[in-house]
Each structure stands twice: as structure tokens, then as C-alpha cells.
Amino acid sequence: MHAITPHLHVGDRADARDVESMLDAGVTAVLRLTHGAPPAYPDSVTLVERPLVDGPQNDPSNVRDAVDRLTTLLDADETVLVHCSAGSSRSVAVAAAALARLNGTDVETALERLRSVHPDAEPHPALVDNARRVVE
């Protein structure tokens, strides 16, 4: 799990299953971008599911919905773990779009910030394009 800001963490499926580490990091909400059954979380953790695929097959409105939901959680001072399977593509693209929107920057600037903390961050180009459209 990579702390991008004090309230935004990006991770993979294993991070999302490590409830103890999540709670130690102060996570109060999980934005799950994967498919399948989620792990069990305590009542203190809000689970939001917005499954996406890693590539160009996503409906842009689904990407926008995931970014909108993440932005709403962060605006409400929740500490969020946004995760996908590997923690390097879907979660990174959605987190970058939310950061860009909240900070009034562009997606490239937000991606640079993410990569400074999470060097394996490499979102699919189609997801980056969707993120740009969400922020514009």
C-alpha cells in the first residue's frame, strides 16, 4: 500500500485483504476497482465497488463514476485505499484523476506525484486518456 497523501492510498488486491495494515494506516473507506467477491471489512470501513478493466474496454462513464466517488470520499475527509489487482494501472489512473481534480492540476502532474511514491505505477494509456477526460 502506497500513501500518496495522508488520506489517499493506492494498493493491490493483497493490500485490500490486509485489514490490519489498512486500519493501522487509518483507512476508513475502500474503493475497489476489481471484479469478484470482496473481502470482509469491519463496519468502520466503507466499501465502494466500481469495477473497471485494465484497458480500453471501459465505458468512460464508469471511469468518471469511480473518480467522482473517490473525490467525494476524499472531500468528506475519509482515508481511502483505492485498489485494483496489481495496484499499478486502474487504481493509479483513478487516483491521478481525483488528485488532479482536487488540486486543480492536470493528470500528468498527478501521475508524477503518484510515481514519486509508487515507482511501479504504470496505468494503461486508455485509462490515462479517460482520466484526462474526467478532469477536463
Side-chain angles (χ1 to χ4, degrees):
M1 184 166 44
H2 302 275
I4 309 305
T5 72
H7 291 284
L8 176 60
H9 302 266
V10 171
D12 60 19
R13 184 172 279 149
D15 295 323
R17 289 187 179 125
D18 187 352
V19 175
E20 185 176 328
S21 292
M22 284 177 27
L23 295 175
D24 287 347
V27 170
T28 58
V30 174
L31 175 58
R32 186 171 180 269
L33 303 176
T34 60
H35 296 82
Y41 293 116
D43 291 340
S44 62
V45 176
T46 301
L47 173 63
V48 178
E49 297 188 81
R50 297 295 186 266
L52 299 173
V53 294
D54 189 22
Q57 303 88 346
N58 293 294
D59 182 322
S61 67
N62 292 337
V63 176
R64 179 176 297 280
D65 184 47
V67 174
D68 289 348
R69 191 63 175 136
L70 178 56
T71 304
T72 299
L73 290 166
L74 293 170
D75 276 340
D77 287 329
E78 298 284 349
T79 299
V80 184
L81 167 63
V82 57
H83 85 89
C84 57
S85 296
S88 62
S89 186
R90 290 171 280 178
S91 58
V92 169
V94 169
L99 275 178
R101 182 187 277 175
L102 290 169
N103 295 326
T105 64
D106 57 33
V107 170
E108 284 70 26
T109 301
L111 280 172
E112 286 175 22
R113 181 174 182 180
L114 275 136
R115 287 183 179 122
S116 72
V117 177
H118 180 12
D120 295 329
E122 196 55 49
H124 190 284
L127 289 166
V128 175
D129 287 343
N130 279 321
R132 284 187 195 107
R133 283 193 285 279
V134 167
V135 174
E136 292 176 348

